[in-house]
Amino acid sequence: MSGLSFLLSLAYLGLALWAPGALSNLFGLGALGATALLRLPPQTRILNLALLTLAFTLGLWRSGNTLGLIGLVGILVALSTLPRIPTWIRALLGLAILLISVPLAGFANTFIFELGIQIGIYAAMALGLNVVVGMAGLLDLGYAAFFAVGAYTWAIFGSPQAQNFMQGNFPLPGEYMYPFMLIAIVTTAITGLLIGLPAVRLRGDYLAIVTLGLGEVVRILANNLDHPINLTNGPQGITPVERPPIGWFEDLIGSLGIQLDATTDYQLFFYLLVLLMIGLVVLVNLNLANSRFGRAWAAIREDEIAARSMGIPLLPTKLIAFMTGAAFSGAMGVIFAAQRTFVSPESFTLLASITILAMVILGGMGSIPGAILGAATLTILNLDILKTFSEFVRTNLPQIPSQVDPAKYERLVFGLILVLMMIFRPTGLIPERRHRAEMEEE
């Protein structure tokens, strides 16, 4: 088995060098599956993962085919879940993928950068919702509302929109985006408090319905606050939103011998900024999970009555969970607005909330690597696989009516994924340790 998996990895490296493309990447995904699923000695597994990392990087760099990105995500998952791999190997390969492989692929195909940024933004939000749903057990169907509040917080003041209702020099310079990330954290935490106050007194389905309604209220407000005072510009949205100046960043990258152009400079900048934010969010999540609040959230999730009898104040503890999750989403909303330079209510629909919730359930409620994996899987599925398949159908099967366009059925696909997960793997792809133990006991 060891020899076979090593030969598969080596063969894929050769294919990535001499015949890069979709077929060779599919072969690479098979080699990765063999490395992850077969019983292999740790040394062989580590060697295979290193070879596959090199091969997927070469394949992406030479062909720009996005299946290679799925392979790199798979290697990250393997590094975070497979046993008996030294920590320094996990860290080294993980950093190599995030800081070398993906940027190299992004220079060959800028869509990789866009995909990486969107995965990062959704991963940070999934980690935020993971605090509310996974740790505290509060079903929140209006999470996109906090994302909207964060995005509009910067979009209004980072564009000429603020001139419609107040005096001052607008738009604010792009460097104000950084303090506005802190302002958005405070703004969304307060919004989380206001939404949470009436909502967290409820449980289960009732809580889900109330949060769904309150989330829709925020979107409808964004859609209609263009009169009598034009705050949000209504359904037309706000554009252009200022981006932070990145001259210092171009000089820094230039000192490494890498010359950026107009198509890659901001893409690389936002990609690295999102990575930094995910690192901070993961750090905060880990500390919260091991803190007094994390234990209190877990107690409330398991049994509210028992938690109350042990002296845990339910309302403040639940509100802190709501506010913490909202704050993560608000910070990412600011980055989203600056990266897109455009904000409209259509980006914050119920589907966005459902998508983020599906990411948490798919990855495993309460699991930090699970939330990141769920975000990567559904973002790639939504932005790349479904659209590529749809384009293939339109090009090669023109007789099929446009109503059967696969890209139009993303809600159906997400629903199927959730149903299948509930049947076959209710703890998620990477279950949290406590959840897994509970399921094994049952």
Side-chain angles (χ1 to χ4, degrees), residues 37-52:
L37 299 176
L38 294 177
R39 289 181 178 275
L40 302 176
Q43 293 82 0
T44 306
R45 184 165 276 157
I46 291 168
L47 181 60
N48 285 352
L49 289 175
L51 279 175
L52 289 170

Side-chain angles (χ1 to χ4, degrees), residues 94-354:
L95 288 174
I97 289 171
L98 294 174
L99 299 179
I100 299 175
S101 301
V102 176
L104 272 177
F107 289 127
N109 179 1
T110 53
F111 179 64
I112 301 286
F113 273 140
E114 178 63 24
L115 210 49
I117 293 168
Q118 295 306 314
I119 289 173
I121 289 174
Y122 277 106
M125 287 198 293
L127 286 168
L129 186 60
N130 196 39
V131 172
V132 183
V133 178
M135 293 186 187
L138 305 171
L139 185 53
D140 183 356
L141 292 182
Y143 191 67
F146 307 121
F147 189 39
V149 171
Y152 272 97
T153 300
W154 172 238
I156 290 172
F157 295 98
S159 73
Q161 180 65 23
Q163 289 176 342
N164 292 316
F165 58 90
M166 65 187 296
Q167 299 288 329
N169 295 320
F170 297 105
L172 294 175
E175 50 264 44
Y176 277 70
M177 186 195 85
Y178 304 113
F180 262 78
M181 288 172 69
L182 298 176
I183 293 171
I185 287 173
V186 175
T187 309
T188 48
I190 293 171
T191 309
L193 175 67
L194 295 175
I195 290 180
L197 268 175
V200 297
R201 298 175 189 275
L202 306 171
R203 294 186 193 177
D205 299 342
Y206 299 103
L207 174 63
I209 292 168
V210 170
T211 53
L212 185 154
L214 292 172
E216 281 297 284
V217 165
V218 171
R219 185 186 65 81
I220 291 168
L221 281 175
N223 216 17
N224 291 283
L225 281 180
D226 54 346
H227 64 275
I229 300 173
N230 188 358
L231 292 175
T232 62
N233 208 29
Q236 297 177 11
I238 299 174
T239 191
V241 181
E242 288 289 314
R243 289 174 159 181
I246 57 168
W248 63 272
F249 176 73
E250 290 174 328
D251 293 341
L252 179 65
I253 296 295
S255 66
L256 300 175
I258 302 170
Q259 295 303 318
L260 300 175
D261 56 32
T263 60
T264 56
D265 52 359
Y266 270 106
Q267 296 280 50
L268 180 61
F269 170 75
F270 278 112
Y271 169 73
L272 294 176
L273 179 61
V274 165
L275 277 188
L276 177 65
M277 289 302 297
I278 289 180
L280 291 174
V281 171
V282 168
L283 197 62
V284 172
N285 262 262
L286 286 172
N287 281 291
L288 282 174
N290 297 319
S291 71
R292 183 166 59 90
F293 290 116
R295 290 189 289 275
W297 290 334
I300 291 174
R301 182 188 66 200
E302 300 305 325
D303 191 330
E304 273 196 30
I305 297 173
R308 185 190 295 166
S309 68
M310 293 300 292
I312 295 174
L314 295 186
L315 185 62
T317 309
K318 287 181 178 180
L319 284 177
I320 289 171
F322 249 83
M323 292 168 69
T324 306
F328 292 155
S329 186
M332 300 317 291
V334 173
I335 294 176
F336 176 82
Q339 193 254 336
R340 290 291 181 90
T341 70
F342 172 69
V343 168
S344 81
E346 292 304 311
S347 303
F348 314 108
T349 59
L350 174 63
L351 180 61
S353 295
I354 298 292

Side-chain angles (χ1 to χ4, degrees), residues 5-77:
S5 66
F6 178 72
L7 284 175
L8 286 173
S9 303
L10 208 57
Y12 174 53
L13 181 60
L15 285 172
L17 272 172
W18 302 109
L23 288 177
S24 66
N25 283 336
L26 279 174
F27 183 85
L29 291 174
L32 177 59
T35 299
L37 299 176
L38 294 177
R39 289 181 178 275
L40 302 176
Q43 293 82 0
T44 306
R45 184 165 276 157
I46 291 168
L47 181 60
N48 285 352
L49 289 175
L51 279 175
L52 289 170
T53 301
L54 178 62
F56 278 120
T57 305
L58 284 171
L60 271 169
W61 185 41
R62 289 171 63 82
S63 72
N65 184 273
T66 51
L67 278 177
L69 186 64
I70 297 174
L72 290 178
V73 171
I75 293 174
L76 287 175
V77 173

Side-chain angles (χ1 to χ4, degrees), residues 352-384:
S353 295
I354 298 292
T355 304
I356 301 166
L357 180 63
M359 291 170 180
V360 175
I361 294 173
L362 178 66
M365 288 196 292
S367 164
I368 293 172
I372 297 173
L373 173 63
T377 305
L378 289 192
T379 305
I380 291 173
L381 180 70
N382 191 24
L383 295 184
D384 185 33

